[in-house]
Amino acid sequence: MGIAADIILLVLGAFFMGLLFQRFGQPLILGYILAGFLLGPHTGGVTVSNAHQIDLLAEIGVALLLFALGLEFSFKDLKPVKKIALLGTPLQILLTVLLGFLIGRWTGLDLRSSLWLGSAVSLSSTMVTLKTLESRGWMGTLSSKVMLGILIVQDLAVVPMMILLPKLSNPLVGLPDMGLAALKAAAFLTALFFLGTKALPRLMGHIARLGSRELFLLAITAIGLGIGYATYLIGLSFAFGAFAAGMILSESDYGHKALSDILPLRDLFGLLFFSSVGMLLDPRFLWEHLGQISLLLLLVGIGKGLIFAGLAKLFHYRNIIPLALGLGLFQVGEFSFVLGRVGLTTKAIDLRLYSLILSTAVLSMVITPSVSGLAGRLYSLRKRWFHHEPLEASHIPRSGLHDHVIIAGGGRVGFQIAKIFHRLGIPFVIIELDYHRVEQIKRAEMPIIFGDAAQEVVLSVAKVHRSSLLVLTAPGLVNARAVSLQARRMNPKIEIVARCSGPESFEFMRELGIVEAVLPEFEASLELARQALLRLRVPPTEIRKHTERIRHELYAQGRREEKEYRILSHMSEAEQQFDLQWLFLTENSPLVFQSIGDLGIRKKMGVSVVGVVRNEKLLPNPDADFLFLPNDLIAFIGNEKNREEFCLLATSAPCPQTGEPLV
């Protein structure tokens, strides 16, 4: 059966090892790596015969992982970390290359080999890091966003490394090649932008209308892998192309459905990647060079960890983030295999150094899930033994926070919500990541905490255990999951209201325990429709009846079985029969200079006057002795028939249908 038999062996091995590791509370990826090691070509017994072909399939796993990651994130998610990603990552690469170079020289390597060693260890593992973050529920946190930004730039840096390192003897030849690669990258991104804004939405819309799930899955897989392959053909990273495709597709209306369909395929090919990593381990080489490998792993791990932690500090990331970065990105990545293979092919390094890099990389990947899991414990110990830096907070009430609302995100949506709460006297606190927005909220003298709402320490400062309600203003599913899970763990009784990116996310939100999900774009469309219909002289009651019906139909998708929702629907339908109506009284109106009691408005006509605007002042709930005057603007309620009769009496004309007067 050839390659098919190998895949079956790996799937079976990964399944049993995954069960074993899950039983002991360990990450599944460790089980996959162990399965690959046991079935690899170096251990004897039942082995995989086509290891090279498995490696090729594993590359598809890397591409699918990054494609799915691109679908989960958008360009907006990377905005808060752009400085450390674009400026900090090149600095990190240079420092780590220097670290590896010094280690190489100290261990007796020549100048060129030391430089190759430094370049190889400067890269971290995108696949292992993201899988670890996902398994621990850390996706969507600020730490994960910083890691993602760094990893993306690292993956891009592989291209110039592969061009320049083999040509160290003649840099003048390598520089033109790198310039050509930059032009190719610019052309690719331009073409991808055109596809993402023009061609892809039309294509996906056409396929979605066909109603075939299989064809939809095939389409999104073809887009992810096809664009990745296109970048490979022009000399760029296959995985980066897939990630870029996911980012572009995430901005369309089909991003969430594409993500849900691609996840099983991603996990299957991801299994092959981690198994292929395990197959690279040669126990004989490990035993013979255990001292060298251990020393290199220790020096690189500690050195890279300190570099990443220092980098986080340099860019003003505090609390747990430096620790999370240092323990999460210390490993040597999968692209180091590719770089090492280039060095071996060009005879820039020998087989011994290649095996040393490979063994160190694999072992660092193996211990990453366990090491990164120490971040929370070490941070707790640090807080206990030392004074930790306080979170930046402003305008927090002296009496503290009690029975308050936590607004996670102080952007345009969150800021407007906060303004309404402020006017109503409802206690609240905002949590925001963007420092510029924090400064804006400070100037408005609203309570604000600068930090990531998905972090335990931030929610502790926000007193989540005393809070009654959490409002999530960002539409991303990953962020909603991270924040809501952490908040629920700290306060199981807290209610959560969230901004939702699409109807397909309702079920996901419900699983997270989110009591209400709101679609801003949908609400905006209803308001636009309302304004348009008012200009078309459609009665306001008729407009409201139809818009409420559409609203109920949409939101019922995620709440169809809830008793409270059915009750609210019936109440809303009944409310439409008693819609508020406004009427302007002229000097000739029969109501002028007469009282409500004398007219017998409620008894004779079945309507109730609930307010009068006189001289730009609202007079609520006027009594029976209230006397109507010219130019009064009166508000009354009743069913549609009674309101029409009252309007005919008051103005000798039907009720206004061109809009609702402003008070």
Side-chain angles (χ1 to χ4, degrees), residues 598-610:
D598 291 340
L599 291 169
I601 293 174
R602 188 168 185 179
K603 291 181 180 179
K604 296 178 180 178
M605 303 178 196
V607 299
S608 298
V609 178
V610 295

Side-chain angles (χ1 to χ4, degrees), residues 364-658:
S364 68
M365 291 180 184
V366 169
I367 65 174
T368 292
S370 302
V371 173
S372 64
L374 297 173
R377 300 174 191 173
L378 291 176
Y379 184 67
S380 298
L381 289 173
R382 178 188 164 190
K383 287 196 297 181
R384 190 180 304 171
W385 294 345
F386 307 99
H387 292 292
H388 66 286
E389 64 265 51
L391 286 169
E392 184 176 337
S394 300
H395 305 295
I396 303 296
R398 291 184 178 179
S399 58
L401 296 167
H402 304 272
D403 296 323
H404 58 291
V405 180
I406 297 174
I407 303 173
R412 287 175 295 180
V413 175
F415 189 57
Q416 293 302 321
I417 295 171
K419 285 169 64 175
I420 295 171
F421 286 178
H422 183 67
R423 290 178 181 178
L424 293 174
I426 298 172
F428 68 92
V429 63
I430 305 171
I431 301 174
E432 175 55 47
L433 268 175
D434 191 314
Y435 196 77
H436 296 292
R437 290 175 180 170
V438 171
E439 290 298 312
Q440 179 191 13
I441 295 167
K442 278 184 183 179
R443 288 192 294 270
E445 298 185 351
M446 293 180 180
I448 177 73
I449 299 171
F450 179 41
D452 179 11
Q455 296 288 353
E456 180 182 358
V457 63
V458 178
L459 290 175
S460 296
V461 174
K463 305 299 180 187
V464 69
H465 59 285
R466 299 178 188 168
S467 174
S468 57
L469 180 67
L470 171 64
V471 181
L472 304 178
T473 65
L477 295 179
V478 176
N479 183 71
R481 181 177 184 273
V483 179
S484 58
L485 288 178
Q486 187 67 262
R488 284 243 179 246
R489 188 182 65 80
M490 300 174 70
N491 182 0
K493 296 181 179 179
I494 194 169
E495 291 190 306
I496 304 174
V497 175
R499 178 182 172 188
C500 192
S501 54
E504 63 275 7
S505 308
F506 281 161
E507 189 61 33
F508 180 87
M509 295 284 188
R510 191 174 183 180
E511 290 173 1
L512 294 176
I514 293 171
V515 296
E516 189 73 54
V518 179
L519 289 167
E521 291 81 4
F522 172 74
E523 296 294 338
S525 69
L526 289 185
E527 179 59 23
L528 284 170
R530 191 182 78 87
Q531 292 294 337
L533 292 171
L534 285 172
R535 300 302 178 271
L536 295 172
R537 300 181 181 274
V538 178
T541 54
E542 197 69 15
I543 297 172
R544 182 174 179 182
K545 180 173 69 175
H546 289 289
T547 54
E548 286 299 313
R549 185 177 297 167
I550 294 170
R551 181 180 283 110
H552 293 162
E553 288 173 356
L554 176 72
Y555 289 121
Q557 295 179 27
R559 318 178 59 182
R560 208 175 293 276
E561 302 302 321
E562 295 183 17
K563 180 181 178 182
E564 293 86 352
Y565 179 75
R566 291 198 301 269
I567 293 172
L568 287 173
S569 296
H570 295 317
M571 290 176 63
S572 180
E573 290 175 7
E575 185 185 350
Q576 293 170 14
Q577 300 299 318
F578 299 94
D579 216 350
L580 186 70
Q581 182 76 53
W582 292 89
L583 192 65
F584 183 78
L585 298 184
T586 64
E587 294 181 353
N588 300 321
S589 174
L591 272 59
V592 171
F593 303 118
Q594 297 197 57
S595 69
I596 294 176
D598 291 340
L599 291 169
I601 293 174
R602 188 168 185 179
K603 291 181 180 179
K604 296 178 180 178
M605 303 178 196
V607 299
S608 298
V609 178
V610 295
V612 177
V613 176
R614 179 178 293 170
N615 299 325
E616 299 184 353
K617 185 178 179 181
L618 177 64
L619 307 174
N621 300 317
D623 57 23
D625 297 327
F626 185 87
L627 199 69
F628 292 118
L629 297 178
N631 301 320
D632 278 351
L633 184 64
I634 63 175
F636 59 98
I637 59 174
N639 62 41
E640 188 173 357
K641 181 182 177 183
N642 291 342
R643 291 199 311 269
E644 287 296 329
E645 291 178 354
F646 180 72
C647 288
L648 287 171
L649 172 67
T651 65
S652 300
C655 291
Q657 299 180 357
T658 57

